[in-house]
Amino acid sequence: MGRQVAVGAGGVCDLGYHVVWCPKYRRPVLTGPVRDRCDVLVREKRAEHGWTVGALDVMPDHVRLFVQAHPKHSPSYVANQLKGFSSHVLREEFPHVRSRLPTLWSGSYVVATVGVVSADRIRRYIDTQYERPWRRERAR
């Protein structure tokens, strides 16, 4: 997978999100053609926004996605765009989904940031910045 890096006058951003959302009541409705169509819809929305999908897994009772987005798109925006678009189309195209659930998706989702630098590495870098020889000289 190629990394999506946003480059602007003020800096460089490399943001990845692990997004998970479930059907209402965690019902296993994402099977067969519904599953396949959900996969296509997520990829269509990705293309519309220029996001990079690193991994996508549509399970019967949840969707799991690794997506890289531009920094102007917040994690909540990404999740809500995917959920809203896919719910509208899936409920329209598959009446049995609409009849089984008042709304397709649960109101909640999980988003975790994913980066090329781990939290431990950043913590170590900050904790040891004055241990570097060129920093020790300036600190004196």
Side-chain angles (χ1 to χ4, degrees), residues 10 26-27 39 54 68 75 79 91 93 107-108 110-112 114 126 131 133 139-140:
R26 196 117 189 200
R27 293 236 172 102
D39 185 288
Q68 290 182 273
R91 288 171 48 80
E93 293 181 5
S108 60
V110 175
V111 176
V114 179
I126 292 170
E131 294 175 15
R140 289 182 184 173

Side-chain angles (χ1 to χ4, degrees), residues 13 15 21 27 31 33 38 41 48 51 56-57 60 63-64 68 73 76-77 90 118 127 133 139:
C13 296
L15 302 173
W21 68 97
R27 293 236 172 102
T31 58
C38 184
L41 293 171
E48 178 184 320
W51 302 331
L56 172 61
D57 194 13
V63 178
R64 188 177 295 273
Q68 290 182 273
H73 296 144
S76 63
Y77 178 80
L90 290 173
S118 71
D127 289 346

Side-chain angles (χ1 to χ4, degrees), residues 29 31 33-34 91 93-101:
V29 296
T31 58
V34 177
R91 288 171 48 80
E93 293 181 5
F94 299 96
H96 71 280
V97 172
R98 185 174 54 238
S99 68
R100 288 193 63 197
L101 297 168

